[in-house]
Amino acid sequence: DIDLKNQEWVPIGNTSNPFTGNYNGGNHTISGLKITTNQVNSTGEGAGFFGVVKDATIKNLTIADGDITVTAQEVGAIVGRMTNSKLYNCVNFANVTNLANNHYQMTGGIFGHAVDQSTEVIANCYNAGTVSAPNADAATNRGIGGIGGHISGESQMISCYNTGKVTAGFGTTGS
């Protein structure tokens, strides 16, 4: 297990250098995750333990607690933006808040945006953290959800569930 002691975390991977590989958390936990500085920008970068992943598999990872409060396009506790990637057995208890107010904002408890049209798989994932997008409005927001903010295309989401509160600027969207 790793305790990040609420020190500012720089997400692994960005759009110019995404994480491309396999990460097996070995059913260990990461606690004290803190992402609050805008080391990610509001157009095209992801925020989360992993910021941007491509052709990656992430599995058996739990974020035990933490606070992610950023202004970014794609935000999720495990992954901000994923392309042609897979998430298995990932769990989040951290609070995720996206302060962005543009229509590209995608916010979720596990992932922010699954980009690929058909090869993404999100399986056996669970979110209990609060997910919030207080500046989102119903007319322009791309997505907010307990597991994921937005899925482009027909990615598979299998046996995932959310018990965390989900709110947006236009009201409570679910739990």
Side-chain angles (χ1 to χ4, degrees):
D1 296 346
I2 298 172
D3 185 355
L4 298 174
K5 301 186 185 295
N6 294 311
Q7 298 297 308
E8 193 66 35
W9 177 257
V10 177
I12 299 168
N14 57 43
T15 53
S16 59
N17 188 25
F19 174 80
T20 57
N22 296 309
Y23 180 88
N24 185 344
N27 295 314
H28 290 283
T29 62
I30 294 171
S31 59
L33 177 63
K34 178 183 175 185
I35 306 172
T36 57
T37 61
N38 286 321
Q39 296 175 11
V40 292
N41 64 46
S42 61
T43 56
E45 292 294 344
F49 185 74
F50 291 89
V52 178
V53 302
K54 183 176 181 180
D55 302 320
T57 298
I58 299 167
K59 62 184 179 179
N60 304 322
L61 176 62
T62 297
I63 306 294
D65 60 58
D67 176 47
I68 300 169
T69 302
V70 295
T71 301
Q73 184 171 336
E74 299 146 327
V75 183
I78 305 292
V79 177
R81 177 186 179 95
M82 57 187 280
T83 302
N84 192 37
S85 297
K86 296 167 178 43
L87 300 176
Y88 299 110
N89 306 315
C90 293
V91 178
N92 175 55
F93 292 95
N95 295 319
V96 178
T97 302
N98 190 349
L99 300 173
N101 61 2
N102 62 44
H103 69 278
Y104 294 111
Q105 184 251 88
M106 295 161 265
T107 308
I110 300 295
F111 68 92
H113 187 196
V115 177
D116 198 87
Q117 296 298 314
S118 63
T119 58
E120 245 97 39
V121 176
I122 300 98
N124 302 314
C125 295
Y126 164 61
N127 177 64
T130 297
V131 180
S132 175
N135 298 323
D137 66 65
T140 62
N141 183 48
R142 286 293 287 279
I144 179 172
I147 299 297
H150 185 76
I151 295 176
S152 296
E154 300 175 10
S155 298
Q156 298 178 54
M157 193 177 304
I158 305 162
S159 299
C160 297
Y161 66 100
N162 174 63
T163 60
K165 185 176 182 181
V166 179
T167 61
F170 50 86
T172 301
T173 60
S175 60

